[in-house]
Amino acid sequence: MSKRDLIIFITLSFMWSLSFVFYRIGVPEFGSLAFASLRVIFAGLVMLAFVMVNKKNRDGLRDHWQLLALVGIFSAALPFVLFSFSAQSVNAGVLAVLNASVPMISGFIASTFFKDRLSKRQVLGLVIGVIGVAILMSESLFAGGVSEAGLANGLLPMGYALLACVGYAVGANITRHYLYNVSPVAITAGSLIIASILMLPVAFYAFPYDQSISAKAWVAVVCIGVFSTAIALIFMNQLIKNIGPTRATSITLVIPIFAIILGYVLLGEALDTRAIIGSVVILIGTYLSLELSVKKMFLIR
């Protein structure tokens, strides 16, 4: 990994970790559906520029629009909505940790439906990750104690986040197995543009017209769409090209660190002991499922 790639890696980790903070700021004012829809739309508008100026990207969108629509639904529209619902009661740091389970879920789907073989280390990572999720979803995560009804209300947002991760994993497997001959930028642009078109009616329907939206919430939704989605995905494509998909995907291990720190500093959030233990266990599982080497991952040249 060159110094330039390391800078991109750290910058991208920061940008994506901020997205979970933006959720916590914007969702209470916009509502989950409106916030998620606007995120997709702003990201789609940015990526539209990449389609307009590059014929190869336009051709990729035209020739594969059906598959790109599926990727847009599973990797953008549905996860963004589900994470928005989850963000109403789940800390930014916890959301980021759950998001780190995507490589594990993706490996399980690839093994189950696409007959990809998992190594023993990857299987161990999946098992450890499931244990970590179980710890993270325990009652102790929600401060002050909860009743049975409160526990159900607490577990449901966690479930939304996990379903969002399943969506990301499905989208990743569709891309890997059916869009391998399409450029990463074309896939990103096409899926976000199509997703934004699909979410446009939702934005009009769900927008809180009778509520005054603060400037802080508007900044959150614009930044999550432009910086934490469109520009971040451009950086990710560049990182994949430079250091490979496996090492690039390891960014999911770093994002929770930034998200927990930013959640504490900007939102006053804190995790209890069991949440911290569950987070660490999930990250260990993700590390194993990615078959990473810390020494090779951050080897600077």
Side-chain angles (χ1 to χ4, degrees):
M1 185 183 294
S2 67
K3 291 182 180 180
R4 178 175 178 271
D5 292 333
L6 182 60
I7 292 173
I8 294 176
F9 188 95
I10 295 174
T11 302
L12 186 55
S13 301
F14 180 74
M15 292 171 68
W16 263 336
S17 63
L18 272 175
S19 67
F20 300 103
V21 175
F22 292 145
Y23 274 126
R24 298 283 285 169
I25 294 174
V27 168
E29 295 193 39
F30 282 101
S32 298
L33 285 176
F35 187 86
S37 303
L38 290 171
R39 176 183 181 178
V40 177
I41 291 169
F42 283 125
L45 289 173
V46 173
M47 296 310 298
L48 182 62
F50 287 85
V51 172
M52 298 298 292
V53 301
N54 189 301
K55 183 178 184 300
K56 184 179 180 181
N57 291 338
R58 293 198 299 273
D59 292 341
L61 176 56
R62 184 190 65 241
D63 297 338
H64 303 279
W65 67 269
Q66 297 98 329
L67 286 172
L68 289 173
L70 286 177
V71 174
I73 291 171
F74 284 108
S75 292
L78 284 178
F80 293 172
V81 170
L82 290 168
F83 266 121
S84 292
F85 279 112
S86 183
Q88 293 181 5
S89 57
V90 180
N91 287 352
V94 175
L95 289 175
V97 170
L98 290 172
N99 185 70
S101 67
V102 171
M104 292 185 290
I105 299 172
S106 182
F108 175 78
I109 291 174
S111 175
T112 304
F113 297 101
F114 296 98
K115 307 305 179 183
D116 288 3
R117 293 179 62 86
L118 296 180
S119 67
K120 292 180 179 180
R121 184 177 180 182
Q122 288 175 306
V123 173
L124 177 62
L126 287 171
V127 173
I128 291 175
V130 171
I131 294 173
V133 170
I135 295 172
L136 200 62
M137 296 179 74
S138 63
E139 180 177 353
S140 297
L141 178 63
F142 301 93
V146 290
S147 62
E148 286 189 20
L151 180 59
N153 291 333
L155 287 174
L156 193 59
M158 289 277 203
Y160 290 149
L162 288 174
L163 282 176
C165 294
V166 172
Y168 283 139
V170 170
N173 276 281
I174 292 174
T175 299
R176 178 182 177 185
H177 292 278
Y178 299 113
L179 293 170
Y180 51 84
N181 59 339
V182 183
S183 74
V185 174
I187 294 171
T188 302
S191 59
L192 284 175
I193 291 170
I194 293 174
S196 65
I197 294 172
L198 295 174
M199 295 298 287
L200 188 61
V202 179
F204 278 110
Y205 171 79
F207 190 86
Y209 297 101
D210 57 345
Q211 182 176 330
S212 177
I213 306 297
S214 69
K216 182 171 66 173
W218 274 112
V219 169
V221 75
V222 171
C223 286
I224 197 174
V226 175
F227 296 105
S228 296
T229 306
I231 294 178
L233 287 171
I234 295 170
F235 280 180
M236 186 63 174
N237 287 327
Q238 184 63 46
L239 205 59
I240 290 173
K241 181 179 178 181
N242 293 349
I243 68 175
T246 300
R247 293 171 77 187
T249 309
S250 66
I251 198 170
T252 57
L253 299 172
V254 182
I255 292 172
I257 299 173
F258 282 97
I260 290 171
I261 294 173
L262 290 171
Y264 176 78
V265 173
L266 300 178
L267 304 175
E269 296 179 344
L271 302 181
D272 66 13
T273 303
R274 191 168 300 190
I276 293 173
I277 294 173
S279 299
V280 171
V281 172
I282 288 176
L283 295 180
I284 292 173
T286 301
Y287 173 81
L288 292 173
S289 67
L290 285 171
E291 295 190 307
L292 295 172
S293 166
V294 174
K295 182 178 179 180
K296 292 181 179 179
M297 189 171 68
F298 292 107
L299 183 63
I300 308 299
R301 62 179 190 272

